[in-house]
Amino acid sequence: MNTDLLWRAEALCAQTDPEAHYPEAGGTSAPAKRTCIACPVRRACLEHAIQAGEEYGVWGGVGQQELRRLIQARRAETEAA
Ligand code: SF4
């Protein structure tokens, strides 16, 4: 197993409702974000999503639009370095 993904074993969404993290268009991401707030691996999850370019769903308490901004910002930082 990729040790960078060990945080997934503690993912709170896996114990609740993973589907809530992929709301349909026009749906709410609020329940997913509430789960993330209590999740012990929130930081690792968000970092994974940014590094892996996960543009869909709620990751680390961050919704799709904000996540896309963070991914673009990271790519810009990487390209500038
Ligand atoms: S931070 Fe949210 S999306 Fe990430 S593992 Fe935890 S509950 Fe799941």
Side-chain angles (χ1 to χ4, degrees), residues 51-64:
Q51 285 188 16
E54 299 279 6
E55 296 185 344
Y56 297 98
V58 175
W59 293 78
V62 175
Q64 217 162 269

Side-chain angles (χ1 to χ4, degrees), residues 52-72:
E54 299 279 6
E55 296 185 344
Y56 297 98
V58 175
W59 293 78
V62 175
Q64 217 162 269
Q65 289 184 331
E66 178 64 13
L67 194 50
R68 286 177 180 167
R69 279 194 287 271
L70 292 172
I71 291 167
Q72 287 172 355

Side-chain angles (χ1 to χ4, degrees), residues 3-72:
T3 54
D4 291 343
L5 298 178
L6 288 176
W7 57 269
R8 288 186 179 206
E10 296 181 58
L12 196 54
C13 53
Q15 302 163 37
T16 55
D17 180 10
E19 295 300 316
H21 288 257
Y22 297 94
E24 293 183 14
T28 179
S29 60
K33 289 178 177 176
R34 279 196 295 273
T35 300
C36 292
I37 287 171
C39 182
V41 292
R42 185 175 171 185
R43 280 176 172 252
C45 172
L46 180 57
E47 182 57 28
H48 162 78
I50 293 169
Q51 285 188 16
E54 299 279 6
E55 296 185 344
Y56 297 98
V58 175
W59 293 78
V62 175
Q64 217 162 269
Q65 289 184 331
E66 178 64 13
L67 194 50
R68 286 177 180 167
R69 279 194 287 271
L70 292 172
I71 291 167
Q72 287 172 355

